[in-house]
Amino acid sequence: MNSPQRSAAGWARRRRAKGERLRAGDPYTEGKVIVASKLKDLLHNVIRPGDRLALEGDNQKQADFLSRTLADCDPSILHDLHLLIGSVSRAEHLDLFERGIATKLDLAYAGPQSVRIAQLIEDGVVHVGAIHTYVELYARMFVDLAPDVVLLCASAADHDGNLYTGPNTEDTPTLAEAAAFHDGVVIVQADEIVDTKSLPRVDIPGSWVDYVVQADRPFYLEPLFTRDPRHIGDVEILKAMIAIRGVYERHQVVSLNHGVGFDTAAIELLLPTYADALNLKGKIARHWVLNPHPTLIPAIESGWVESIHSFGGESGMDRYTAARPDVFFTGVDGSLRSNRLLAQLAGQYAIDMFIGSSLQIDGDGNSSTVTDGRLSGFGGAPNMGHDPHGRRHATQAWLNLAHGMGAGRRGRKLVVQIAQTFRAGGTPTFVEELDAIDVGNQAAMPLPPVMIYGDDVSHVVTEEGVAYLYKAHSLADRRDALAAVAGVTPIGRRTDARRAAALRRDGLVAYPEDVGVSTRLASRSLLAARSIGDLVAWSGGLYNPPAQFRDW
Amino acid sequence: MNSPQRSAAGWARRRRAKGERLRAGDPYTEGKVIVASKLKDLLHNVIRPGDRLALEGDNQKQADFLSRTLADCDPSILHDLHLLIGSVSRAEHLDLFERGIATKLDLAYAGPQSVRIAQLIEDGVVHVGAIHTYVELYARMFVDLAPDVVLLCASAADHDGNLYTGPNTEDTPTLAEAAAFHDGVVIVQADEIVDTKSLPRVDIPGSWVDYVVQADRPFYLEPLFTRDPRHIGDVEILKAMIAIRGVYERHQVVSLNHGVGFDTAAIELLLPTYADALNLKGKIARHWVLNPHPTLIPAIESGWVESIHSFGGESGMDRYTAARPDVFFTGVDGSLRSNRLLAQLAGQYAIDMFIGSSLQIDGDGNSSTVTDGRLSGFGGAPNMGHDPHGRRHATQAWLNLAHGMGAGRRGRKLVVQIAQTFRAGGTPTFVEELDAIDVGNQAAMPLPPVMIYGDDVSHVVTEEGVAYLYKAHSLADRRDALAAVAGVTPIGRRTDARRAAALRRDGLVAYPEDVGVSTRLASRSLLAARSIGDLVAWSGGLYNPPAQFRDW
């Protein structure tokens, strides 16, 4: 029998370190409120070289007052930080590395910085731990990547540190919890600091927060989920018609997630018109997990949508979502409440389908958005785009894809890839080898950065038709079915007409006429809204689009 | 172009209904605090017939003051409720159905009530929507099962409804969010109602909570994760030795989750002894996701464990976890913070292995704890016991099980089943057909209630050896490898000695001597603690075991 090998103090090193940090921060604060002009001094004193630091950069919102101030710190004081950033989307995120303030990076997404980050990795300036999905990166903060400091953003705070995140909650509660409950320091920029009574609601309790600082301007927010219907063409509409009849109607898909893109925007805009004429209202697409897409407004107004739970908000949609609380999740103050963690959970275990666009698909159905040397990362699609094996309840759509025998029999989530055979400029979508393989090699990644694996894909929809990959009994069948809807791309040219006819007969492939779609009807006249202005009108003036989407 | 088809009020039916409910509850409250003697009156007035009502019954803690009071309500006033209960573990949960107060049930687990619930389903008294895992049921509360009312429990509340959950947070924040942000009513029983300044910390903000009531006694809490080392025998120790050498050491498993049971308790107690002698300290089992198992105390005290994130707490472990904040997650008050949702996320995306015991395994490796006509449900094991396809970061252990070629190549989570070939009473663990198939048929379930599917299992460990199922290239290989470690059970008797030798040569099967385990060393003298008393001693007196585990 041993006795405890460490003194009591030896078990609270993180807590003691936090106490020292807070004392070092004291001269720059009034209570929990940082004197804004002293923020840099506080960061110099509270953060330590080598710290693991989580900087809030979500899919949409960015703690940019904090990131700009951090990037302006003195590298002789602050250096060798290990940064955890969901979305590396601002220039200063990488400036931190060029200035030597940070050296190591764990991330999920790098869309807007994807070219520069690839170069900095090659140059050895950025040392990447790993590229994750959003929730995967957050999950590691509770296991082997516990942050010493987190830098977050909120719409408002009171002097006790109680936070109002506004409609864009996204990941703030999760990041706050990772630090607040493991002796990390929680520092939050707020668009405004108000009296407790003026705080619309409390999204995060003040006892989780160490410091708040008034930001120099509202945190940066990107309208990622807005698609202008003006750019939806006849081919997107044809694909949408095929998807509605060949997938939504056929499998009676009640609950679902749409990725972002013009293909799924087209589907959203065909629900109140094309799908309504098919008498599908109330039968399909009733429960949604997705951000408040403006292109869903006509379907919502037409009574198609019973509920929507959201990962985050969307610029311009705040008044609309607040006015539709039966559909959207809202708080006591009446405004939207989003939460990525819960939306991910709902997306994994409570919905029947994910459908999203892809830039590149290989002959096995593996897909990636990593193309042309850009290292864009994963974001959230892999979490939605697979069959969650931990699900145990059955629905009609899920059972419709049932497989296995005896005890092994179970249903399957629909994972649908929707794509045009060629992208703009005549670049084929269906390719012999994904660019991701080259990019992964160049960045010395242990595996190629594949977004969704072919064996997780149940359906592929193109303007040529639907490949029902889940019905394939062999890899050869799966490849042939995919090729049969891949047009004249390198993959599509593998098709043999007799083989395609056999697959069609066996139900592995359907062409538009097989699912009752008249290609000649595919035109913009089917869209419930043909412009951002139409969406504003549908919303009764509640939707207030960002400036870049207004042309009036 | 349509104009909105409903008036503004038509989009806030839930909010209006909530307002009416709160007004009807007014006479029985002082502010947010329910007069305890008026609780039944309040429930009669705030809940409505046909409501969807979530009653907090987690894995461990139970809102039993609320459930007892609800079961005592008048069925002529309250009837036909649709109950959502994680763990149906109290008699009054089913009394609600016998009295007609509730008619429909969605659940995750029914361990202690598994016989009675099976009968009530057969009698048509309980109409089951579906049986889920815990997080799957909660996920649906954000999609198609939004609750009208939630009944929760907390350790303490203030008069504004701010909640302190204590070490057993489990699912309270998730259930509160499902109602608070979709115009449901949130009613919470608290062990005590205190002044705001006396609340140790805020786990859930008061603006999420409509009512609090002082409970007649502290909420019921079951010590589910305590295993008395006295009951660990030589066979468990042998299996633990085989697992440590054949799985943990071989794959260098750094991060993991242990299920509950004597097998994994034995592994925990061999880390500071057997595994230490193998020089494995610091190389394996450093980061954990699991409840505070008392049998982990010796490993923690010996410096094996860097971090533990927990789904819930464990009775008697509160002082110990509070004294080890470098290892456990704790709040500003110094006490444990748990959170099932985050632990599940960590378990899916941030750890390399799940290992758990099973009661029954068929020849394909499908397993179930549903036996002998008991409908025990799923709990949380299916969420841990599969390879999460949404993971994208690589670790050594995960890459060690890599499969696929080219773009399709990826790693795999270790999903390990550990079992003795025969259970107590000579009942074989390995069977031709799972009892789950019969039970599922009798309960008219759409699919048999399988806990973990064979194709998700990477390893099976028995006292005979290890089957490395992930290496099997065919279903026949997989079956043969499993049979080779299944002893003289009906499945094991399928083994052909020459075939087993071939599998052993190819590395699909390892016997104890193949992984360097001397079976003759398997004895209780290897255990770091041989009794609950030993665990208390290891903890320096900080562990305070529940009465039923004390024999001194």
Side-chain angles (χ1 to χ4, degrees), chain A residues 450-463:
Chain A
V450 171
M451 188 66 94
I452 297 183
Y453 289 104
D455 44 20
D456 277 321
V457 177
S458 63
H459 301 70
V460 173
V461 175
T462 71
E463 73 275 22

Side-chain angles (χ1 to χ4, degrees), chain A residues 13 136 389 392-393 451, chain B residues 136 326 392-393 451 456:
Chain A
R13 284 171 292 190
E136 181 184 6
H389 290 199
R392 290 294 179 272
H393 80 280
M451 188 66 94
Chain B
E136 180 184 7
D326 281 344
R392 291 293 179 272
H393 81 280
M451 188 66 94
D456 277 321

Side-chain angles (χ1 to χ4, degrees), chain A residues 109 357-360 367-371 374 376-378 436 449-451:
Chain A
Y109 184 68
S357 299
S358 201
L359 291 182
Q360 242 183 20
S367 67
S368 182
T369 52
V370 168
T371 56
R374 291 170 186 271
S376 54
F378 298 114
V450 171
M451 188 66 94

Side-chain angles (χ1 to χ4, degrees), chain A residues 69-392:
Chain A
T69 307
L70 183 65
D72 197 36
C73 280
D74 182 346
S76 73
I77 301 175
L78 283 190
H79 48 85
D80 295 306
L81 299 181
H82 177 180
L83 287 192
L84 315 175
I85 309 182
S87 174
V88 177
S89 53
R90 296 185 56 80
E92 71 263 19
H93 290 165
L94 295 178
D95 296 345
L96 283 161
F97 291 86
E98 290 193 331
R99 299 199 64 223
I101 294 172
T103 48
K104 189 166 179 190
L105 175 65
D106 276 276
L107 74 158
Y109 184 68
Q113 301 292 334
S114 57
V115 173
R116 187 171 163 214
I117 199 172
Q119 189 59 52
L120 288 176
I121 293 169
E122 208 176 311
D123 297 346
V125 175
V126 172
H127 300 271
V128 170
I131 306 181
H132 310 74
T133 68
Y134 289 124
V135 291
E136 181 184 6
L137 176 60
Y138 308 142
R140 290 188 65 190
M141 295 184 194
F142 297 87
V143 180
D144 59 344
L145 291 181
D148 300 300
V149 178
V150 295
L151 304 182
L152 312 178
C153 58
S155 290
D158 69 12
H159 294 79
D160 295 327
N162 291 299
L163 303 182
Y164 170 59
T165 62
N168 268 77
T169 305
E170 296 196 78
D171 310 307
T172 319
T174 306
L175 295 167
E177 181 152 354
F181 293 104
H182 211 176
D183 291 314
V185 179
V186 178
I187 304 176
V188 185
Q189 70 170 73
D191 293 351
E192 48 177 355
I193 296 179
V194 301
D195 285 342
T196 301
K197 284 185 199 304
S198 305
L199 207 61
R201 69 177 189 235
V202 179
D203 288 299
I204 297 172
S207 69
W208 301 21
V209 174
D210 298 300
Y211 297 118
V212 294
V213 61
Q214 162 100 46
D216 55 353
R217 54 177 191 252
F219 62 75
Y220 179 77
L221 188 65
E222 200 176 353
L224 281 176
F225 297 90
T226 300
R227 288 294 176 278
D228 188 340
R230 208 177 295 271
H231 304 305
I232 297 173
D234 293 352
V235 183
E236 282 77 34
I237 291 162
L238 175 59
K239 281 181 283 179
M241 293 164 70
I242 295 171
I244 287 170
R245 296 225 66 170
V247 181
Y248 293 60
E249 179 182 8
R250 171 164 305 190
H251 300 293
Q252 299 284 299
V253 176
V254 172
S255 56
L256 71 164
N257 164 250
H258 272 188
V260 57
F262 288 104
D263 290 323
T264 42
I267 294 171
E268 291 157 17
L269 291 169
L270 289 193
L271 292 178
T273 55
Y274 180 72
D276 209 73
L278 293 166
N279 205 21
L280 294 174
K281 185 166 150 182
K283 294 181 188 145
I284 63 164
R286 288 159 49 195
H287 297 288
W288 299 69
V289 175
L290 81 179
N291 278 40
H293 291 193
T295 39
L296 254 181
I297 292 171
I300 295 168
E301 294 301 310
S302 306
W304 273 74
V305 176
E306 285 177 40
S307 72
I308 297 177
H309 189 271
S310 300
F311 303 83
E314 180 64 1
S315 296
M317 287 290 281
D318 297 348
R319 277 202 304 152
Y320 181 74
T321 54
R324 300 290 179 263
D326 281 344
V327 173
F328 291 97
F329 281 68
T330 59
V332 284
D333 64 317
S335 76
L336 185 74
R337 162 83 174 189
S338 59
N339 186 328
R340 179 176 315 282
L341 194 58
L342 287 167
Q344 285 282 359
L345 188 78
Q348 272 199 58
Y349 291 126
I351 63 171
D352 290 332
M353 181 172 81
F354 161 78
I355 177 168
S357 299
S358 201
L359 291 182
Q360 242 183 20
I361 302 178
D362 73 13
D364 289 349
N366 300 303
S367 67
S368 182
T369 52
V370 168
T371 56
D372 315 319
R374 291 170 186 271
L375 194 62
S376 54
F378 298 114
N383 303 115
M384 295 290 105
H386 71 275
D387 179 42
H389 290 199
R391 171 176 170 167
R392 290 294 179 272

Side-chain angles (χ1 to χ4, degrees), chain B residues 33-50:
Chain B
V33 179
I34 302 168
V35 180
S37 61
K38 301 284 178 68
L39 175 61
K40 203 200 293 185
D41 297 310
L42 181 127
L43 297 180
H44 278 145
N45 282 280
V46 169
I47 306 172
R48 304 290 156 84

Side-chain angles (χ1 to χ4, degrees), chain B residues 172-183:
Chain B
T172 319
T174 307
L175 295 167
E177 181 152 355
F181 293 104
H182 211 178
D183 291 314

